[in-house]
Amino acid sequence: MVETLTSTSSPSSWWRRWWPPSHRRWIPTNTTFLSAHKALLAALWLAFFFTVFYWQRDAAGAGGLLIFRRAFPSRMLPKLRPVAFNLTDFGAVGDGITLNTAAFESAVLAISKLRKKGGGQLNVPPGYWLTAPFNLTSHMTLFLAEGAVILGIDDEKYWPLMPPLPSYGYGREHPGPRYGSLIHGQNLKDVVITGHNGTINGQGQTWWKKYRQKLLNHTRGPLVQIMWSTDILISNITLRDSPFWTLHPYDCKNVTIRTVTILAPIFEAPNTDGIDPDSCEDMVIEDCYISVGDDGIAIKSGWDQYGIAYARPSTNIRIRNLVVRSMVSAGVSIGSEMSGGVSNVTVENLHVWNSRRAIRIKTAPGRGGFVRHITYRNVTFDNVRVGIVIKTDYNEYADDGFDPKAVPILEDISYTSIHGEGVRVPVRIHGSDEIPVRNIAFHDMSVGITYKKKHIFQCSFVQGRVIGTIFPAPCDNLDRYDEQGHLIKRSISQNMSDIDYDF
């Protein structure tokens, strides 16, 4: 339709005063122009939505159309070893469909031959690299470029079976062998997993569904498990959707986990703990973001009589500068499998948000072991149901062979600079006659509460002290000291119990 050349006083006709008459016949009417404009905008919005939809699918796995996958700019990869290989050198194809297990295994074999020359580096370029589980080797750097995604195949027949962990007696969920991890290593030294925030994706959805339907005959495998190894660095990567525990260092020494993002759905992703240091010594976890379907971090050291016999404590562990979310369990836990003992742990600069619990110690008669010399400092609770938890009746056992007289020792635990808001129960310390909690300390605590009930600082069989003024008011089990350390009031009710699980 051609615009009629009549004068008008409408604001939209200003262009007629300067537009050449000879050109006006090419200008559409206002109605036609606006209709076409709206149609174009609608088409662009649909295209944008379609693109984002498939981009999001790619972010969670290898689904979606290849043409909608993001193209990542070429970025120079650092050379951290004397020799560096590219995964494609071994025939790998990053299309999310081709199984690349043989390529990973060939690359690791090539690097294993370089251990006397400083080892080697395996670069994983942008792409979707489907694989079954594979092992690492000593003096190796696994480097994931930006846009690189290692995808674990979700068919359990490709996952090898391994003997039970010696400190657990049998597979955590089923007697007998357990599935191995997607990325595995044993008896290694000097191993680095790092990158430009590439991703290791366990595609756990199938595993979780089969677990809930009781279709699995063996304990699910972790995403990354390093055992009996020293000098381990894991940094600058994303770990997501593990079938089971996400990152499991077992009986390792000198481990650093830094700037790692760990993700799983906050519901219906069972046992997807973020990081589980297990019988580890000299370990740092720092500058991480964790949002998972179980504990963000759970420090362990074996289960009941098997952990007692294995006798490897988790000790000298520092956790700092973390943001954690756990709607099912807790931000940072110790236990409940702590039969080898846990000691000398510092948790500081921790922010726990939108979670069921913030910091928790869990154990039970039969565990044995100890939890001692534990320091929590500068911890923030943000919309958390229960802030501080010590639970001594977590009655889940490896088998009927546990010794009920093997009771754990809980002592020397301090909480300093504890703050927050939106907390239902700031403190619930549930000691017992069998397992009392000894020498616990609170200093500089102020937590905003959502329920103004009397018993929101709950204690049972607890001995310890409060230094200065804290909010909410502490239980009567604790001695009171002023800021200078002078005793103000000694408790005569250490064995009193006001635990209330009804709110």
Side-chain angles (χ1 to χ4, degrees), residues 136-459:
L136 303 177
T137 189
S138 293
H139 309 293
M140 174 179 178
T141 296
L142 178 64
F143 194 98
L144 281 74
E146 182 181 9
V149 181
I150 296 177
L151 290 171
I153 191 167
D154 59 4
D155 186 342
E156 68 268 21
K157 73 181 181 183
Y158 289 93
W159 289 59
L161 292 175
M162 302 183 65
L165 294 169
S167 59
Y168 284 76
Y170 72 103
R172 187 64 177 78
E173 297 169 330
H174 294 276
R178 61 192 175 92
Y179 289 110
S181 59
L182 178 63
I183 297 179
H184 192 80
Q186 293 185 191
N187 302 302
L188 303 181
K189 182 178 177 59
D190 179 25
V191 174
V192 178
I193 304 175
T194 189
H196 290 150
N197 200 30
T199 298
I200 302 173
N201 187 333
Q203 300 198 105
Q205 292 81 357
T206 299
W207 292 93
W208 308 331
K209 182 178 180 180
K210 288 183 178 180
Y211 170 77
R212 289 192 296 267
Q213 295 176 343
K214 302 185 184 304
L215 297 177
L216 296 172
N217 297 318
H218 305 282
T219 300
R220 291 166 289 157
L223 187 63
V224 179
Q225 184 178 62
I226 310 294
M227 305 173 61
W228 304 304
S229 300
T230 61
D231 302 332
I232 308 300
L233 170 63
I234 301 175
S235 67
N236 300 321
I237 60 171
T238 295
L239 306 175
R240 67 179 305 144
D241 295 344
S242 174
F244 191 54
W245 300 343
T246 303
L247 178 52
H248 185 211
Y250 180 84
D251 199 354
C252 291
K253 187 173 182 179
N254 193 18
V255 179
T256 299
I257 300 171
R258 177 185 299 129
T259 56
V260 172
T261 299
I262 302 178
L263 304 172
I266 57 175
F267 294 115
E268 298 187 356
N271 310 109
T272 50
D273 298 9
I275 304 171
D276 285 359
D278 203 336
S279 296
C280 287
E281 181 179 357
D282 299 335
M283 184 170 184
V284 174
I285 303 172
E286 61 185 358
D287 304 323
C288 296
Y289 177 85
I290 303 172
S291 177
V292 290
D294 209 299
D295 290 313
I297 293 176
I299 302 173
K300 304 175 182 292
S301 62
W303 202 9
D304 297 343
Q305 69 272 28
Y306 305 105
I308 294 172
Y310 193 70
R312 299 281 201 284
S314 281
T315 187
N316 299 337
I317 298 175
R318 183 174 290 267
I319 299 169
R320 60 193 177 198
N321 308 331
L322 264 64
V323 177
V324 183
R325 184 188 190 194
S326 172
M327 284 295 292
V328 172
S329 197
V332 175
S333 287
I334 296 176
S336 73
E337 307 95 324
M338 39 61 64
S339 301
V342 177
S343 66
N344 297 331
V345 175
T346 298
V347 179
E348 59 186 346
N349 304 333
L350 170 70
H351 184 102
V352 182
W353 68 287
N354 283 15
S355 296
R356 187 173 181 86
R357 306 170 192 89
I359 47 181
R360 175 169 66 164
I361 297 171
K362 48 184 177 176
T363 186
R367 289 289 192 271
F370 51 84
V371 177
R372 60 165 65 107
H373 307 312
I374 312 297
T375 299
Y376 299 95
R377 182 169 52 238
N378 193 22
V379 179
T380 301
F381 310 147
D382 181 4
N383 191 27
V384 172
R385 183 183 178 94
V386 186
I388 294 169
V389 181
I390 298 179
K391 185 175 179 63
T392 58
D393 60 350
Y394 201 87
N395 298 320
E396 182 181 341
Y397 299 103
D399 54 41
D400 293 336
F402 73 94
D403 179 5
K405 296 181 180 180
V407 294
I409 298 170
L410 306 182
E411 61 185 7
D412 302 330
I413 304 166
S414 67
Y415 302 89
T416 303
S417 296
I418 310 296
H419 303 283
E421 60 182 6
V423 179
R424 181 177 291 192
V425 179
V427 177
R428 181 179 285 150
I429 302 174
H430 191 178
S432 66
D433 189 22
E434 290 180 289
I435 311 173
V437 181
R438 300 299 187 197
N439 195 24
I440 195 168
F442 292 89
H443 182 212
D444 182 23
M445 175 175 174
S446 178
V447 177
I449 57 178
T450 58
Y451 280 67
K452 295 185 179 180
K453 292 191 175 184
K454 182 177 180 181
H455 300 300
I456 56 174
F457 197 118
Q458 302 178 9
C459 300

Side-chain angles (χ1 to χ4, degrees), residues 5 14-27:
L5 300 179
W14 58 268
W15 55 274
R16 293 187 178 90
R17 291 194 292 268
W18 57 269
W19 194 263
S22 61
H23 292 167
R24 291 180 189 175
R25 62 189 182 91
W26 300 106
I27 306 300

Side-chain angles (χ1 to χ4, degrees), residues 122-143:
L122 175 59
N123 293 326
V124 182
Y128 295 81
W129 310 93
L130 184 67
T131 182
F134 63 92
N135 294 317
L136 303 177
T137 189
S138 293
H139 309 293
M140 174 179 178
T141 296
L142 178 64
F143 194 98

Side-chain angles (χ1 to χ4, degrees), residues 465-468 480-488:
R465 62 193 181 279
V466 173
I467 301 171
R480 312 292 180 87
Y481 288 78
D482 64 18
E483 290 286 354
Q484 288 70 44
H486 302 130
L487 178 65
I488 297 175

